[in-house]
Amino acid sequence: MAPGELWAAGFAAAQEEEKLINGAVKRAGRSFGVFAREDLVQEAMLIFAECYVAEQPVTEQEWAAFRPRVYQKIRWVLGDLRRRENWWQERQASEILAADGAPAAPELTDLCLLLRGASHDVREKAIVEEHWLRDVPLQTVADHLGLSIRTMRNARNKLRRRLLSDDKRPLS
């Protein structure tokens, strides 16, 4: 078979395996902001066709082994896309805040002022100590605390706004 014919057969097989593709897209999550569902389905079909060209399953036994592998690969690639999109959105938000005058990495003296005194808000303290000072990714800090990344982003943005203001009161 010519390469073009293999790809055509891969896309035809992807259309026949619509349930598998839709299941993988659904399982990968719905928290994509930029990508529409149709875009994710198209991305999944490309992955399916790519795997089909690489393995070329023919018998029912080969198909039975192929389906779980391609399902998992689609989930992994879509998960990578979601992480990349989240990273990009976070980077853009940081650049916007920096353009508005917010420090990209807060000044150490300002951080010391924020940390002065006993802190009762574990989120804010973890953001300052772990995320800003030790450069631990915010997702890792959120996972460690058992909180959502959205909650941590909101707390981080609140801290940034406090750093921009003249209110340097200790965390409480």
Side-chain angles (χ1 to χ4, degrees):
M1 238 186 222
E5 292 173 348
L6 269 177
W7 278 98
F11 284 115
Q15 289 175 343
E16 290 175 15
E17 296 290 336
E18 183 179 356
K19 285 184 180 181
L20 181 140
I21 289 174
N22 285 320
V25 168
K26 182 177 180 180
R27 184 79 168 135
R30 298 184 186 132
S31 60
F32 288 89
V34 175
F35 296 101
R37 177 164 170 61
E38 295 80 25
D39 294 336
L40 296 175
V41 169
Q42 287 298 316
E43 194 70 35
M45 288 183 75
L46 285 170
I47 297 162
F48 188 98
E50 180 182 303
C51 291
Y52 179 87
V53 168
E55 296 186 33
Q56 299 177 19
V58 177
T59 66
E60 188 56 43
Q61 208 173 24
E62 290 172 344
W63 273 101
F66 175 76
R67 285 183 185 104
R69 283 195 305 271
V70 75
Y71 175 85
Q72 187 62 48
K73 179 148 184 176
I74 290 170
R75 286 191 50 210
W76 285 339
V77 171
L78 294 181
D80 289 344
L81 271 176
R82 185 178 58 221
R83 281 187 287 282
R84 195 174 312 132
E85 180 185 11
N86 290 341
W87 173 83
W88 183 250
Q89 287 175 349
E90 190 171 310
R91 181 175 174 196
Q92 286 179 325
S94 296
E95 289 174 0
I96 289 170
L97 284 172
D100 290 341
E107 298 287 328
L108 188 57
T109 55
D110 293 339
L111 293 177
C112 290
L113 288 172
L114 283 173
L115 282 173
R116 189 181 41 181
S119 173
H120 298 293
D121 191 348
V122 177
R123 293 176 298 187
E124 291 179 345
K125 190 169 185 172
I127 289 169
V128 173
E129 291 177 351
E130 300 293 324
H131 182 59
W132 285 343
L133 294 177
R134 294 190 186 119
D135 206 25
V136 175
L138 194 60
Q139 179 68 54
T140 305
V141 176
D143 291 343
H144 176 69
L145 295 176
L147 299 170
S148 72
I149 186 68
R150 183 177 180 185
T151 301
M152 294 302 288
R153 283 190 191 123
N154 289 338
R156 182 192 60 199
N157 292 339
K158 180 179 168 185
L159 277 173
R160 281 187 178 153
R161 284 190 298 274
R162 191 183 307 166
L163 284 171
L164 282 175
S165 72
D166 291 332
D167 184 11
K168 302 291 190 231
R169 61 180 160 63
L171 299 176
S172 54

